[in-house]
Amino acid sequence: MAKQEKERELRVKSFTITQAIHEKYWLGYDEGTFDDYEDWDNLESLTQQIADKLERDEIKQGEKIESEIEIVEIASILHDKDKQKKFDVELQQYVYEDKHKHVHIFVELSRTVSLPLIAERLGIASNFIEQLGRGRYAKENTLAYLVHAKNADKYLYDPRDVVTLDTFDYLEYYGERHEQWQEARATKKKKEVSLPKVDWLVEKILLGEITREEIMLTDDYFAVYASNKKRVDEAFEVFVDRKIFKGMEAMRRGDFTLKCYYITGQPDSGKTVFAKGLVGGLLAKDPSWTVFEAGATNPLDGYRGEEIIFMDDPRASAFGASDWLKLLDPINTSPISARYKNRTPVARVLVMTAYMPIDEFFYYVRDKGNNRSEALDQFLRRFAGLVQIVKMENGQRVFHYLEMKELDNPKSIAVYDEDGKKTFVREGENPFGDSWRRPFEKISLNFYPQIFEGRSGVPARDLEFEKGLKFFIDYVYEEVKGDIQDVTPKK
């Protein structure tokens, strides 16, 4: 029976050891070998101890017996940057976390030796010692794996970190095969982004669960995108088209209406900071929303159905008058001119900043191409309200919110033109003193911003900047959600 057991005893010539950095897994090693886990730097000492344990002579019955184990080659490396994929129950998604630090050690002996004897000598459980395969490239693949030379999904270690105790030159070995290993790594990476993974990514895009930004910022997703750009781009286009059509249908049903807000103030007053704070606050309240930041020219190029449109200091000439009216329409959707493909905006909120007063800005919009057939009221009445940010002499910034209202008595504006320079004079203003001027044009407005007071009657003016922003985020969100509550400004 003992003879049969011995015949079945596994004998190995080349093998690998994979084990964590902790003294409980290594019996009989020098004290302190596995101390200081965070900054562990005893790989050479550990490798030398392994070699000494394998090659040590034995004393039996007072006689010295030479070891039957002779090392031909040994190579070791510390893996301290490996990651493992784990499902996070709270986040309901896969996350990557650090693996426990561990070593990989390759050993080649001069002849086959009993595996139990090797395990006994090393003080390591035999299941952490693995015999090399019989394939032609078994040794090469093992030595490549020390630095993950062929593994595109793993951290690439520095070949200079491999310890060999001068049994062979690993750097030379690596250099001779570097180009071949690089090619194998690239091939494996391409296989990993094959059709099944692309199908999964496309499905997530069509469901709206992965954004373009996430793909660009996530290495795994970007690897798929880089090899399948056309399919992924087409998936995004399909998703955008469907999102826009669903938004159009929701507006037709009256599920929501567009709310437009005009934020104005002199340069350096903080109007852009306020506007970005408003957008950020709305996104924080509903993380499923996204924001589109319009460009200075062809503003809707790249619009993909985002719920918020942010226009920072646009030009009056960015659109023609008719496109401005379509963009600001709170209840109807229409295609608007864009450079490559006309877009139909289905946003819930439009936030716009400009240093000009609102009537002056849209006077120039209406005047573009001498298109004065559009009444100025048609632009103003599309805004839910207007925010004024004023920088005081002491540097303090204050907030006023004005609600767009239909006036009982129309407001008049006189526009004076001197050599192409226009001066706007509102009712009650007298910038010229006693000097007589003939107005270039007189305009009567039935809609104009009025200080908002809410149901409590507290006027939303002269609020400190941060308090004004907090109030306005809450107010706008409730308006947009269609669940308007009495949001009262607090000074």
Side-chain angles (χ1 to χ4, degrees), residues 174-445:
Y174 177 90
E176 291 172 351
R177 294 160 178 79
H178 177 256
E179 188 174 339
Q180 176 187 346
W181 286 357
Q182 284 278 79
E183 185 177 341
R185 184 180 177 90
T187 301
K188 186 171 183 180
K189 189 170 186 177
K190 190 168 184 179
K191 287 180 180 177
E192 285 171 356
V193 295
S194 58
L195 198 58
K197 198 167 184 180
V198 177
D199 288 341
W200 175 86
L201 187 62
V202 165
E203 181 183 358
K204 293 295 183 182
I205 291 169
L206 295 176
L207 291 173
E209 296 177 4
I210 292 179
T211 65
R212 187 177 289 275
E213 182 181 22
E214 286 175 314
I215 286 180
M216 292 301 174
L217 297 179
T218 305
D219 291 345
D220 286 351
Y221 297 164
F222 183 77
V224 180
Y225 175 69
S227 298
N228 301 273
K229 184 178 185 299
K230 185 177 180 181
R231 280 200 65 190
V232 174
D233 285 344
E234 286 175 350
F236 273 117
E237 282 299 314
V238 171
F239 170 74
V240 167
D241 287 345
R242 186 166 189 262
K243 184 177 181 180
I244 289 175
F245 273 103
K246 289 179 73 175
M248 292 166 60
E249 179 60 26
M251 287 189 76
R252 278 195 288 265
R253 288 197 308 264
D255 294 350
F256 70 91
T257 58
L258 171 66
K259 302 292 183 182
C260 301
Y261 298 95
Y262 190 94
I263 300 174
T264 186
Q266 292 299 310
D268 194 40
S269 63
K271 60 183 180 295
T272 299
V273 173
F274 185 93
K276 289 185 175 181
L278 171 61
V279 170
L282 294 175
L283 294 175
K285 284 183 172 291
D286 194 333
S288 68
W289 287 4
T290 52
V291 60
F292 172 72
E293 296 192 26
T297 56
N298 303 303
L300 284 189
D301 278 356
Y303 177 75
R304 294 183 173 88
E306 289 87 350
E307 289 77 11
I308 302 173
I309 295 176
F310 176 43
M311 306 182 75
D312 188 22
D313 210 8
R315 300 174 183 172
S317 59
F319 294 116
S322 60
D323 277 341
W324 272 111
L325 290 172
K326 291 176 186 177
L327 175 66
L328 302 171
D329 195 322
I331 57 175
N332 298 304
T333 60
S334 302
I336 296 175
S337 302
R339 185 177 180 184
Y340 298 109
K341 180 181 179 181
N342 290 353
R343 289 296 192 188
T344 302
V346 288
R348 291 175 176 266
V349 185
L350 185 144
V351 179
M352 175 179 167
T353 68
Y355 74 90
M356 287 186 188
I358 190 170
D359 51 8
E360 187 174 340
F361 182 91
F362 285 101
Y363 175 88
Y364 288 115
V365 168
R366 187 206 66 162
D367 207 35
K368 182 183 176 184
N370 294 318
N371 182 12
R372 293 182 182 163
S373 60
E374 297 289 358
L376 200 54
D377 273 336
Q378 292 300 315
F379 299 95
L380 303 191
R381 69 196 297 267
R382 282 165 160 75
F383 282 85
L386 176 144
V387 171
Q388 289 179 338
I389 304 297
V390 180
K391 186 176 182 180
M392 312 294 284
E393 290 184 3
N394 62 4
Q396 183 185 9
R397 292 177 170 87
V398 296
F399 157 93
H400 311 299
Y401 176 53
L402 298 89
E403 196 175 17
M404 191 64 69
K405 286 189 173 182
E406 186 171 6
L407 305 175
D408 295 330
N409 298 306
K411 185 179 183 71
S412 63
I413 296 179
V415 182
Y416 296 82
D417 190 334
E418 294 183 5
D419 300 324
K421 182 179 180 180
K422 292 184 172 59
T423 303
F424 292 77
V425 180
R426 282 88 184 171
E427 204 171 83
E429 297 177 355
N430 185 19
F432 303 120
D434 295 331
S435 300
W436 183 84
R437 297 282 197 283
R438 180 184 295 278
F440 168 73
E441 185 177 1
K442 287 186 176 181
I443 302 171
S444 180
L445 295 175

Side-chain angles (χ1 to χ4, degrees), residues 137-154:
Y137 297 104
K139 178 180 176 180
E140 180 180 329
N141 290 336
T142 300
L143 291 173
Y145 188 80
L146 292 178
V147 294
H148 293 155
K150 295 183 178 182
N151 300 82
D153 60 333
K154 298 181 182 293

Side-chain angles (χ1 to χ4, degrees), residues 99-119:
K99 273 188 177 181
H100 198 285
K101 292 182 182 180
H102 57 280
V103 292
H104 289 276
I105 303 168
F106 162 78
V107 180
E108 182 177 320
L109 307 177
S110 59
R111 60 189 180 88
T112 61
V113 177
S114 161
L115 179 59
L117 176 60
I118 293 173

Side-chain angles (χ1 to χ4, degrees), residues 58-65:
E58 294 184 328
I59 304 295
K60 288 188 178 180
Q61 297 178 351
E63 293 186 17
K64 180 180 177 181
I65 302 175

